[in-house]
Amino acid sequence: MTETILNFVYQPLREIDGTVSGIIVVANEITDLIRANSEQLEQEVAKRIEDLKHSNIELQKKNTELQQFAFITSHDLQEPLRKIRMFVNRSVENVDDKTALTKYLGKVELSTERMSLLIKDILDYSRLSSNRDTFFSTVDLNQILAAVKLDFEHLIEEKFAVINSEKFPIIKAIPFQMSQLFSNLISNALKFSKIKPVIISTPG
């Protein structure tokens, strides 16, 4: 049995001279109105809860992406920075040898340009919106591989490593992600290999 909800309105019953001789009571049934308002309120509360859940998921996703981005930034900038330090030290050690000095300063300049490009790519990557297709561009994977090999030039020489690669295609991709992919692959291959490793890179 549904409970009936009434709204009572009280009005005084006055005589001609203004004296109150009684009270008029008007009862209005507002069951449907209260029920409708209650259902609307429940729907709004449910929607707010769902919105909060969605916002919380998005926040967790952004936090995860931020942590990954911080790791990527520190990892990808380490190698060119290490090369800059190394070649600056060698330049100081060979300051009287003009040929060696020119060579090492040229290496520093190349590493600096590479680091500047990485910083630009990282900044572009940090601005990615949810629609990442907007940031796709034509990427020559051969150029990406060449740049990454230059990053690890010194480590490649130290390990007497050989990197054999076939010709890669030109694709639509996010440049920084491709650079990160090749960097991780070559870095791991060099790190977990013994002396004179042969790294074969194919389009697959």
Side-chain angles (χ1 to χ4, degrees):
M1 182 177 180
T2 304
E3 182 181 358
T4 300
I5 302 175
L6 299 176
N7 179 46
F8 294 95
V9 178
Y10 301 92
Q11 295 180 345
L13 179 62
R14 299 180 182 275
E15 299 296 334
I16 296 177
D17 61 358
T19 59
V20 177
S21 59
I23 296 177
I24 300 175
V25 180
V26 179
N28 297 311
E29 183 180 353
I30 57 173
T31 306
D32 292 340
L33 179 61
I34 294 296
R35 184 180 297 116
N37 287 341
S38 177
E39 290 176 354
Q40 182 179 359
L41 181 60
E42 288 177 359
Q43 291 174 0
E44 290 180 356
V45 170
K47 185 178 182 304
R48 291 292 179 87
I49 292 174
E50 191 63 30
D51 290 343
L52 286 174
K53 288 181 179 178
H54 180 72
S55 297
N56 188 46
I57 292 173
E58 286 297 315
L59 182 59
Q60 291 177 351
K61 181 181 176 182
K62 292 295 182 183
N63 286 337
T64 301
E65 290 179 351
L66 183 60
Q67 291 174 357
Q68 293 175 344
F69 178 70
F71 173 78
I72 290 169
T73 303
S74 61
H75 178 269
D76 285 21
L77 293 179
Q78 281 177 3
E79 193 60 29
L81 182 59
R82 188 178 71 86
K83 286 182 64 178
I84 290 172
R85 288 172 177 168
M86 180 184 67
F87 288 126
V88 166
N89 290 335
R90 289 189 181 181
S91 298
V92 173
E93 293 169 358
N94 294 271
V95 68
D96 294 328
D97 185 341
K98 291 186 178 180
T99 301
L101 184 61
T102 301
K103 173 186 175 182
Y104 293 133
L105 289 178
K107 295 283 188 181
V108 170
E109 184 177 0
L110 286 175
S111 296
T112 303
E113 290 175 357
R114 173 62 177 159
M115 195 167 186
S116 296
L117 180 60
L118 278 173
I119 291 172
K120 177 184 177 299
D121 288 343
I122 288 171
L123 289 174
D124 289 341
Y125 183 77
S126 70
R127 299 189 186 103
L128 291 181
S129 64
S130 57
N131 183 16
R132 297 196 171 189
D133 291 344
T134 307
F135 295 87
F136 276 54
S137 62
T138 301
V139 179
D140 187 340
L141 296 179
N142 301 287
Q143 293 181 358
I144 296 290
L145 177 59
V148 172
K149 285 167 66 177
L150 184 62
D151 287 343
F152 293 97
E153 175 186 18
H154 181 63
L155 188 55
I156 291 172
E157 291 177 355
E158 280 185 342
K159 286 207 169 187
F160 299 98
V162 176
I163 299 179
N164 295 326
S165 61
E166 298 179 9
K167 185 175 178 59
F168 283 87
I170 297 175
I171 64 172
K172 284 286 186 179
I174 298 174
F176 176 68
Q177 288 186 332
M178 293 299 99
S179 178
Q180 180 194 357
L181 173 63
F182 277 91
S183 179
N184 288 341
L185 290 174
I186 292 179
S187 174
N188 289 334
L190 291 170
K191 180 179 179 181
F192 297 106
S193 64
K194 297 181 180 180
I195 199 72
K196 295 183 178 180
V198 178
I199 302 170
I200 300 175
S201 178
T202 64

